[in-house]
């Protein structure tokens, strides 16, 4: 199952489009299995859960870990120490904090800025109108490399609205001269791909049903 899902998805992705295997809610053994087949990038959204997995998978040095969940300020150090990418940087204050702690920890981390392109009380993110203004400041921060934008569609959006929203994210990234767009999950990755995503964050379509 896992092998078929993963191979099937990979086959459909053109060069330059990356599959982030979102392993939250799934056990370390499944991560090990995919990592041994060649999957490098794994996404987690809760630090505590991820720390247990890092312990179990410490021998797999090739894995790149991506933090994709809402990042509370008291979790920044743990995330900076252990992850290579953060997709969910949703404010200037958070970017500054990540940078300061990355300097202290002598680490460099790749970040993507989460943008809020639709009204959705359940999700945070930068207001797209402010990004143009804050991006020079964010680029000037030490020990973080800002390479792209991340977005999510509200749950009630249909396919057309999703494609539209992802298209907006792509144009905004282009305007800001950012290469990466982290967008598209199991239910809408095809729309995201058509709109120019470079990172698809796929959980259930790779690992199957996620309990809780
Ligand atoms: C859980 C999660 C995903 C993956 O969701 P699926 O629908 O299982 O593919 C992607 N992005 C974020 C931010 C998530 O929290």
């Amino acid at each position: 199952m896992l092998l078929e899902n993963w191979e099937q998805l990979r086959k459909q992705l053109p060069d330059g489009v990356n599959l982030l295997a979102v392993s939250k809610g799934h056990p370390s053994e499944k991560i090990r299995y995919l990592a041994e087949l060649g999957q490098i990038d794994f996404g987690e959204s809760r630090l505590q859960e991820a720390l247990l997995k890092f312990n179990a998978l410490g021998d797999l040095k090739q894995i790149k870990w991506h933090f994709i969940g809402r990042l509370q300020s008291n979790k920044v150090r743990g995330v900076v120490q252990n992850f290579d990418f953060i997709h969910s940087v949703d404010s200037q204050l958070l970017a500054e904090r990540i940078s300061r702690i990355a300097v202290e920890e002598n680490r460099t981390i790749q970040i993507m800025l989460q943008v809020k392109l639709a009204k959705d009380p359940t999700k945070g993110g930068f207001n797209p109108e402010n990004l143009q203004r804050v991006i020079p400041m964010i680029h000037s921060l030490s020990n973080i490399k800002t390479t792209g934008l991340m977005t999510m569609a509200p749950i009630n959006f249909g396919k057309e609205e999703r494609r539209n929203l992802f298209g907006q994210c792509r144009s905004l990234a282009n305007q800001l001269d950012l290469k990466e767009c982290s967008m598209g999950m199991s239910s809408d990755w095809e729309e995201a791909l058509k709109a120019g995503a470079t990172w698809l964050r796929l959980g259930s379509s790779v690992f199957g049903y996620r309990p809780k």
Side-chain angles (χ1 to χ4, degrees):
M1 249 288 260
L2 184 48
L3 175 61
E4 285 80 13
N5 291 348
W6 180 72
E7 285 187 326
Q8 194 59 40
L9 285 162
R10 270 173 30 119
K11 269 205 305 248
Q12 299 177 69
L13 304 189
D15 284 349
V17 179
N18 303 285
L19 192 168
L20 176 60
V22 175
S23 46
K24 68 173 187 211
H26 294 285
S28 306
E29 299 77 70
K30 287 190 175 184
I31 300 174
R32 177 177 297 280
Y33 176 78
L34 276 193
E36 285 171 351
L37 291 168
Q39 175 67 31
I40 302 281
D41 297 284
F42 290 90
E44 290 283 335
S45 59
R46 284 178 292 262
L47 178 62
Q48 298 314 15
E49 177 184 341
L51 289 173
L52 297 173
K53 293 176 181 174
F54 299 152
N55 239 331
L57 301 169
D59 56 310
L60 299 171
K61 307 279 186 228
Q62 74 274 24
I63 294 184
K64 301 267 188 247
W65 294 102
H66 298 241
F67 191 83
I68 61 171
R70 182 164 283 186
L71 180 49
Q72 297 165 291
S73 52
N74 64 338
K75 301 284 165 60
V76 171
R77 190 171 303 275
V79 167
V80 165
Q81 286 169 337
N82 292 287
F83 284 81
D84 304 287
F85 294 74
I86 306 174
H87 291 232
S88 46
V89 177
D90 60 4
S91 73
Q92 183 174 337
L93 214 61
L94 180 59
E96 288 168 358
R97 188 179 181 88
I98 294 167
S99 164
R100 190 167 69 244
I101 291 176
V103 170
E104 288 171 13
E105 297 289 335
N106 196 24
R107 299 256 308 161
T108 294
I109 190 151
Q110 237 192 86
I111 68 164
M112 289 175 238
L113 305 177
Q114 184 172 345
V115 281
K116 196 177 166 85
L117 295 164
K119 280 210 178 66
D120 184 345
T122 67
K123 293 185 182 74
F126 285 87
N127 176 337
E129 276 110 64
N130 299 341
L131 266 184
Q132 196 73 253
R133 184 168 51 75
V134 301
I135 201 98
M137 183 269 151
I138 291 177
H139 276 312
S140 75
L141 294 170
S142 304
N143 294 44
I144 61 179
K145 282 204 187 79
T146 307
T147 59
L149 301 180
M150 182 273 230
T151 201
M152 279 182 276
I155 37 176
N156 63 326
F157 267 33
K159 277 190 191 304
E160 199 57 44
E161 289 168 297
R162 280 170 198 261
R163 177 120 64 112
N164 231 306
L165 179 126
F166 294 144
Q168 284 174 44
C169 188
R170 183 67 265 174
S171 341
L172 188 58
N174 293 349
Q175 279 167 38
L176 300 168
D177 208 17
L178 296 170
K179 174 168 174 265
E180 312 293 347
C181 276
S182 169
M183 53 191 193
M185 306 175 30
S186 295
S187 58
D188 59 13
W189 65 268
E190 285 162 299
E191 285 71 41
L193 186 61
K194 284 177 204 143
T198 61
W199 283 100
L200 305 176
R201 305 183 311 271
L202 303 180
S204 40
S205 56
V206 174
F207 291 98
Y209 170 72
R210 176 174 59 242
K212 149 85 197 83

